[in-house]
Structure formats: structure tokens, C-alpha cells
Amino acid sequence: MPKILTEPQLDFSNVLIRPKRSTMTSRSEINLNRTIDMRCGRKWSGVPIIAANMDTTGTFEVYETLANHGCVTALHKFYTKEDFIEYQSSKVLDPNLFMVSTGISNDDYDRLISIMEVVDCNWICVDIANGYIPRLVEFCKILREKYPNKMIVAGNVATREMVEELIINGMVDVVKIGIGPGSACTTRLKTGVGVPQLSAILDCADAAHGCRGRIIADGGITCPGDMAKAFGAGADFVMMGGQFAGHDQNPGDVIEENGKKMKLFYGMSSKQAMVKHYGKMNNYRSSEGRELKIPYKGDLNNTIEDYLGGVRSTCTYIGAREIKDMAKCTTFLLTNQQLNKHFV
């Protein structure tokens, strides 16, 4: 018989962060850098914000911009060994600030091995839409044996049981959290499956930290306030796709429609992505991603600085001197309305 869980499940739009007394007088006092101990024995240092490994955001050009701010780029899994060799012939990749992404097929494994032979990278991101299939844990075990000292990310999931399974039995360092919250994702529409993102972060962070793992809150960010809420809920890293799309540094031409400038952005489970990378979309599946024309945003640096500024401001409101303190300084308030939309 189907079960119904009656405890409310919350998204970013359902809460606000309650302000508290603070001893800080300026946003400039806030330290957004973190040093994070990983299960593999490494320490990672930087600003824990990640560009999603979508082919419109997880690119070398986006990496160059984010690296200047100490942020990470999860490069998309369609780059080849030759692409990395060509890029490195003229430029240097910081091994702590990019991820090599992979699927879980035998071909994906072979491609990953070939890339890791020619690049110095401390991160591996194992990325599939449905992190609940047994092959994901098996694949992560194989990777851990091959790369005992690399930081391994795996996902996506949205419940504590699978977080614990991936960390304990899959031996991964970081689990990517989010089923369907992304702006270009239609998984919830097509399947009815998902967990509201704030509740998923709260539950999964508690599970991960209990077994010395970490989480990435992946998707659902619409503004700097949402990012602050994700950190406040216990996320160690926050990953964004749509908010990092539509800039000069993203691939694709600027399109003009009715006097407005736009750029193309699409989900990696969309028909557009399937046809582009695999030549077709198999008839046993449906598209679980949207193809969008989003407003052209100009220089990506401006967006990054807006988000960093927003998180710093949150910290001054709640008395958190460092980004790592946000979770213990955050109290959420349930709300029916966040914004005055009189002029919207």
C-alpha cells in the first residue's frame, strides 16, 4: 500500500532566514573561503561554489572566470582527452578548481582513465540523473580503488539512505543532492519524482556529516538568497547551472528576438542534448530537460560577484564570520510570502 509522509517538505521559497545580533560592521569582514577535510585524506580550499557540468556551463571558458574567484567548475563529460591536451598546450588548469565528469558505462570509464592520464585533477564527478541504480555504487567503488587519493563526487540523489550508501559503500567524498529542482529539468513533471530542495539538503547534509562525508546542493537556486539558504541548511558546496548560463563566457551566439537579447540553455536530459551528444533520443525514454532561451546577462564576473556579495551580506545578518559558520548561525522561518511584488 502506498505511504504518505505528512511532515512538510520545504523549498527555498517556503522559508526566510531570521536575522540575529552581529558584531560585524562590514561585509568585507566575511571570509567566503573554506578548507574542507575529505574522506580520501585531502584538504580542499576555495570558495565552495560550483558551475554545473552542463555543456552550456561546464566549459573551459567558464572555468577561467570562476577560477579567478576561487570557485570550481565541473567540466561536462563530453570533453575528450584531446580537448584537454589542446587546452593545456597554452593554459594551465588548477587541479583543485575543476572536475573531470563521467558517466558510469564502460566507455565512460575508459574515457575518464584516458583523461586522467594527461591532466592533473584532484576531482572526479560521477554524474547520472538517477543515483538510485545499483551500478552507481559499484562504479564508485571501482573508481576509489583506482584513485584512492582523488576527491570523488557522485549523484544525483535526494534522500539520506542513498547518501549514506554512496559514502559508506561507494566510498565517495561528496554526494550531489537534487532530483528535479533545476530550471532546465522536467524530471518532476515527467515522473512525479523528487524532494523539495531545502528539505533534501537538510536531511542529506545531516546524513553525510554523520559518516564524514560532504554534500553539494545541486539545483533550484534562483537568486543569491537561495544560495545563502542552501549553505544555511548545511550544504558544503552549492552548484548552479541556469544562474551561470547566458553570459559572454557561455557557448552559443546571442539571439535577438523582439528587441531582446537571449542565449540558449538546455538540460542535459533534454532532446537537444541527447541528439547533440548521442545522435538521437532513444524511444524508450522521454525528454526530462527543457530547451530554453534565457536573457543574455553580459559578463559572468558580474553574476559571480552578485552572488558572493549576497552571501557575505547574509553572513552579516546572522553573525557568521565565515561561510562554514552559516549552518550553525541559521534559523529558518516558515513564510507564506517572501517578497513585496506590487510592482512586478
Side-chain angles (χ1 to χ4, degrees):
M1 180 177 177
K3 296 180 180 179
I4 298 178
L5 302 180
T6 57
E7 182 179 347
Q9 298 294 296
L10 305 172
D11 222 324
F12 298 125
S13 60
N14 301 128
V15 299
L16 287 168
I17 298 172
R18 189 178 72 183
K20 298 176 181 177
R21 287 184 61 195
S22 174
T23 59
M24 286 162 284
T25 59
S26 170
R27 295 176 180 87
S28 64
E29 298 176 41
I30 306 303
N31 179 17
L32 295 186
N33 282 279
R34 276 198 74 176
T35 297
I36 298 177
D37 294 318
M38 299 293 186
R39 279 174 59 93
C40 68
R42 284 190 181 273
K43 288 182 182 288
W44 178 86
S45 294
V47 177
I49 296 170
I50 308 171
N53 52 322
M54 307 169 79
D55 65 8
T56 46
T57 56
T59 66
F60 291 130
E61 292 77 16
V62 170
Y63 158 80
E64 291 172 11
T65 303
L66 263 64
N68 288 331
H69 297 270
C71 302
V72 179
T73 300
L75 297 173
H76 66 71
K77 59 188 174 185
F78 301 101
Y79 278 133
T80 64
K81 172 183 176 179
E82 290 70 29
D83 292 326
F84 280 93
I85 291 173
E86 180 181 356
Y87 184 83
Q88 292 183 128
S89 67
S90 59
K91 298 181 180 179
V92 177
L93 288 163
D94 184 324
N96 275 325
L97 298 182
F98 76 100
M99 299 179 181
V100 175
S101 300
T102 181
I104 59 174
S105 70
N106 292 334
D107 287 344
D108 289 326
Y109 181 76
D110 292 341
R111 171 191 157 276
L112 174 67
I113 298 299
S114 72
I115 290 172
M116 296 300 285
E117 288 174 349
V118 300
V119 300
D120 180 18
C121 181
N122 293 333
W123 289 98
I124 297 172
C125 179
V126 186
D127 177 61
I128 62 174
N130 179 1
Y132 289 84
I133 62 176
R135 172 63 178 162
L136 177 60
V137 176
E138 296 165 6
F139 188 85
C140 290
K141 285 182 182 178
I142 294 168
L143 279 190
R144 177 54 72 205
E145 291 173 7
K146 177 72 174 175
Y147 300 109
N149 301 316
K150 300 296 185 184
M151 296 177 287
I152 299 177
V153 175
N156 278 36
V157 301
T159 53
R160 63 184 305 122
E161 299 83 7
M162 203 63 210
V163 169
E164 293 163 345
E165 175 74 7
L166 283 164
I167 293 171
I168 296 170
N169 293 323
M171 296 181 283
V172 307
D173 298 280
V174 188
V175 182
K176 201 142 66 79
I177 307 304
I179 300 290
S183 57
C185 183
T186 60
T187 295
R188 295 176 181 177
L189 180 67
K190 294 296 180 71
T191 69
V193 174
V195 177
Q197 188 70 342
L198 183 71
S199 287
I201 296 166
L202 286 162
D203 202 27
C204 293
D206 179 65
H209 298 159
C211 46
R212 296 193 306 113
R214 305 290 180 174
I215 69 162
I216 296 170
D218 177 20
I221 306 297
T222 67
C223 59
D226 289 345
M227 177 178 281
K229 291 172 188 177
F231 284 127
D236 301 287
F237 298 85
V238 175
M239 176 177 277
M240 300 194 301
Q243 294 304 302
F244 279 156
H247 301 87
D248 294 326
Q249 292 88 338
N250 301 111
D253 297 328
V254 176
I255 306 162
E256 284 212 34
E257 289 188 355
N258 301 319
K260 295 181 179 180
K261 293 183 176 181
M262 320 286 282
K263 289 195 82 167
L264 188 65
F265 174 61
Y266 51 85
M268 295 309 290
S269 291
S270 65
K271 183 177 180 180
Q272 166 99 4
M274 294 293 107
V275 171
K276 177 179 179 179
H277 296 294
Y278 301 107
K280 64 176 182 177
M281 188 173 74
N282 292 316
N283 59 12
Y284 57 79
R285 63 176 296 165
S286 66
S287 170
E288 290 184 27
R290 294 196 292 167
E291 302 162 27
L292 305 168
K293 292 176 183 175
I294 64 173
Y296 164 67
K297 303 173 188 174
D299 188 354
L300 178 56
N301 283 291
N302 296 332
T303 295
I304 297 169
E305 288 165 4
D306 185 47
Y307 272 83
L308 297 179
V311 174
R312 287 191 189 97
S313 188
T314 303
C315 288
T316 64
Y317 274 110
I318 62 175
R321 286 193 172 273
E322 300 185 51
I323 201 169
K324 71 181 181 65
D325 296 330
M326 291 182 71
K328 66 183 180 184
C329 294
T330 294
T331 300
F332 289 115
L333 301 172
L334 290 176
T335 180
N336 293 320
Q337 178 176 307
Q338 289 196 66
L339 304 174
N340 181 338
K341 297 182 178 180
H342 180 71
F343 292 111
V344 175

